Amino acid sequence: MSISVTERNQKSVRRISYVWLITAAAVAVAGRVYEHFSHEIYSFPMMYAFLYPLLAGALPYQTLALLEKRSPGRLSRGLYNAGVVSLTVGSVFDGVLEIYGTSNSLTSVYAVAGVILMTAGLLLYLLSPHTRKKQSKDG
Amino acid sequence: MSFLKKPFAAGILYALILLGFTAYAALDTFVIPRTYSPIISESQSESSAETSSNAESGEMSSESNVSREPDESSLSEWFTETVVQTDMTYSDPHIAITITKYREYGTDIFLADIRLSDPSYLKTAFAKDSFGQNIRALTSTTAKAHNALLAINGDYYGARVGSGGYVLRNGMLYQDRPMSSRVTGTLDDLVMWNDGSFSIINEKTTTADSLMKGGARHLLSFGPTMLSNGQLTVSPETLTGLSRSKNPRTAIGIVDIGHYVFAVAEGRQGNANAGLTVYEMALFLQSHGVTTAYNLDGGGSSTLYFNGQLINHPTDGTSFKERSVSDIVYIGY
């Protein structure tokens, strides 16, 4: 039996959301381990870095799967995922600096790049012809 | 070019860019040394100090209750006409040092009792004699380079170069921007004045310029303040994070003008030396008559150097070895 395009889309989107879920768990564990060895210095960026892959990664893709929406195209997906990765890496790095007791203005680059990439990916998905056509059909 | 057409090529490329940038940011933060010049030179600060007195400015809140003149009669009994030296003591006509080892809170604590005929013998030094970022050296190395009789690690100013926090040493101002609230630490600084007294100031309410004009000699910025006017300024409830846990500690204090203490506690050695909380260090110093006491960089940085030897056993908890630090406080000529 062949799998319909819709089912393939949903499978693909769910797979991506699971990858983000695993990433969120890994970041949470890594952050906890790092803080364990930091002699009781706690850092919010380190403690909550896992929220980026969880809320900006797993959650949107799981929502797309549940609502049976079209899977984002490769470019849109790549840009958005790169943005989430940037924010996550930036948060972890910021946490490392905070635990060390210092700071560096370069960490703002992660946030800027992350937001720009996520926004670009999101806009590309929302404004793509396939999405607009489906929306008008549904309407 | 065909590689770039592969589905994962862009992802790998971006991952490499991200990795490269992170590596650069890490090197910039922890490795790449940068030196900076002082903002105000000693000659400028000395001409200001001649015409103004410290702790009188409305901007400063001096909490030192010590007298303005050293009690020479009580100090003279500590000095000797010639150099007399043992493993834990030193005396000459101008400097007297006695190091005593105590055992409290399951930890060895070394207390260096210091008497000086002139407060200018209490000095600070930068690693490699340079102010900047990622410039570090062992406390013992910097101490030897300055012929220090006695030395402790300082406030590790290197972690906050560019982030803010006053840096003032030997009458020269290097950083006059108040500390960023993001950086770990308090805004209370310890000021050592030209007349040998100590004060606690807050960077929110006191400008670096007013300190220079008031005759500040050195400023240390780490904290918290442990004692002020002989009273505890910390409690188990107010301490957070590292200050509340047991660790090696370094502290500096004053009993009276001309009479100072350096204290270094061992730690991170299991049951042999559990370490001290900042509160325990405060209680210890209070019991020894210290009136103003200030916490400095602890943990693996805590180092006590005397007469060419390390007195304590610096450790980060995994191995015994001295840590490279940004600066030291020392006694010497």
Side-chain angles (χ1 to χ4, degrees):
Chain A
M1 282 173 70
S2 64
I3 301 173
S4 70
V5 171
T6 309
E7 284 173 348
R8 246 203 323 268
N9 272 340
Q10 283 185 24
K11 261 187 130 175
S12 161
V13 167
R14 275 210 187 88
R15 198 164 40 235
I16 296 171
S17 80
Y18 294 148
V19 169
W20 278 122
L21 208 56
I22 292 167
T23 305
V27 170
V29 168
R32 192 64 196 92
V33 168
Y34 192 92
E35 290 199 332
H36 175 75
F37 290 105
S38 69
H39 303 289
E40 295 193 36
I41 297 179
Y42 298 105
S43 154
F44 284 129
M46 179 67 81
M47 274 167 60
Y48 298 114
F50 74 95
L51 288 178
Y52 286 115
L54 183 66
L55 299 178
L59 187 61
Y61 282 102
Q62 193 60 238
T63 306
L64 283 179
L66 285 171
L67 297 178
E68 296 182 4
K69 294 292 182 185
R70 187 184 68 84
S71 168
R74 204 170 78 190
L75 182 59
S76 163
R77 203 166 60 234
L79 287 170
Y80 183 85
N81 291 343
V84 178
V85 168
S86 300
L87 290 174
T88 306
V89 170
S91 188
V92 170
F93 187 65
D94 211 17
V96 168
L97 298 194
E98 198 168 281
I99 289 170
Y100 182 77
T102 187
S103 64
N104 192 324
S105 56
L106 287 175
T107 56
S108 60
V109 173
Y110 293 99
V112 170
V115 168
I116 289 175
L117 289 167
M118 280 177 67
T119 306
L122 207 56
L123 283 175
L124 210 61
Y125 173 73
L126 292 172
L127 298 175
S128 78
H130 293 289
T131 308
R132 284 206 306 266
K133 201 186 288 183
K134 187 168 171 33
Q135 283 174 345
S136 65
K137 269 188 183 173
D138 292 341
Chain B
M1 283 303 288
S2 61
F3 169 76
L4 293 175
K5 291 178 185 171
K6 301 254 188 240
F8 48 79
I12 290 175
L13 198 60
Y14 185 72
L16 287 172
I17 292 170
L18 199 61
L19 193 67
F21 178 77
T22 303
Y24 171 71
L27 287 170
D28 182 66
T29 306
F30 300 113
V31 178
I32 299 173
R34 289 194 177 87
T35 59
Y36 303 101
S37 301
I39 297 170
I40 296 178
S41 68
E42 187 166 12
S43 57
Q44 286 175 285
S45 72
E46 276 177 0
S47 60
S48 298
E50 279 171 10
T51 54
S52 52
S53 60
N54 64 317
E56 295 298 329
S57 162
E59 286 184 314
M60 288 173 282
S61 57
S62 168
E63 296 179 12
S64 171
N65 66 341
V66 299
S67 58
R68 293 286 151 229
E69 295 293 329
D71 185 355
E72 293 182 1
S73 60
S74 69
L75 283 174
S76 61
E77 67 186 88
W78 298 95
F79 304 128
T80 52
E81 286 184 10
T82 57
V83 173
V84 177
Q85 196 168 299
T86 67
D87 285 348
M88 299 283 256
T89 64
Y90 174 93
S91 63
D92 68 20
H94 305 289
I95 296 173
I97 299 168
T98 302
I99 300 176
T100 308
K101 180 177 166 182
Y102 297 89
R103 179 82 184 169
E104 292 188 25
Y105 308 104
T107 300
D108 290 335
I109 310 169
F110 298 98
L111 184 70
D113 190 273
I114 304 156
R115 315 272 178 165
L116 304 175
S117 66
D118 188 327
S120 68
Y121 300 138
L122 174 59
K123 300 173 187 289
T124 60
F126 291 136
K128 300 175 184 173
D129 281 326
S130 299
F131 169 78
Q133 195 169 353
N134 297 322
I135 300 174
R136 294 179 284 264
L138 303 178
T139 297
S140 57
T141 302
T142 307
K144 278 177 189 157
H146 290 269
N147 299 314
L149 295 167
L150 174 74
I152 53 174
N153 59 289
D155 65 357
Y156 211 115
Y157 78 87
R160 51 187 176 80
V161 172
S163 304
Y166 302 154
V167 180
L168 192 164
R169 303 298 163 86
N170 299 308
M172 296 197 200
L173 186 63
Y174 294 87
Q175 190 160 278
D176 61 357
R177 196 153 54 92
M179 187 184 290
S180 157
S181 58
R182 271 208 74 243
V183 177
T184 302
T186 67
L187 291 173
D188 282 350
D189 298 342
L190 175 72
V191 179
M192 294 182 259
W193 301 95
N194 282 324
D195 70 352
S197 63
F198 282 13
S199 286
I200 301 297
I201 64 99
N202 189 287
E203 291 188 12
K204 274 187 182 172
T205 55
T206 307
T207 64
D209 187 54
S210 66
L211 292 172
M212 292 295 296
K213 287 177 177 162
R217 185 84 188 150
H218 310 288
L219 181 144
L220 295 171
S221 182
F222 199 88
T225 306
M226 295 184 285
L227 294 170
S228 181
N229 293 328
Q231 302 301 310
L232 290 168
T233 51
V234 290
S235 68
E237 293 76 33
T238 59
L239 293 172
T240 57
L242 210 59
S243 299
R244 198 160 56 181
S245 59
K246 285 181 171 290
N247 281 288
R249 299 282 172 200
T250 301
I252 184 171
I254 185 172
V255 178
D256 204 340
I257 289 181
H259 185 188
Y260 310 96
V261 298
F262 291 172
V264 172
E266 303 271 29
R268 294 183 187 169
Q269 297 171 37
N271 291 331
N273 282 294
L276 299 183
T277 65
V278 167
Y279 181 65
E280 288 167 345
M281 175 61 93
L283 288 174
F284 171 78
L285 291 172
Q286 188 184 45
S287 71
H288 288 273
V290 177
T291 52
T292 300
Y294 192 74
N295 182 58
L296 295 175
D297 188 21
S301 299
S302 284
T303 308
L304 179 64
Y305 167 97
F306 175 68
N307 193 22
Q309 306 289 329
L310 289 185
I311 302 300
N312 71 318
H313 302 87
T315 175
D316 58 3
T318 56
S319 62
F320 286 103
K321 71 177 177 186
E322 216 182 327
R323 176 188 286 172
S324 292
V325 294
S326 305
D327 57 315
I328 67 169
V329 184
Y330 72 99
I331 303 296
Y333 291 103

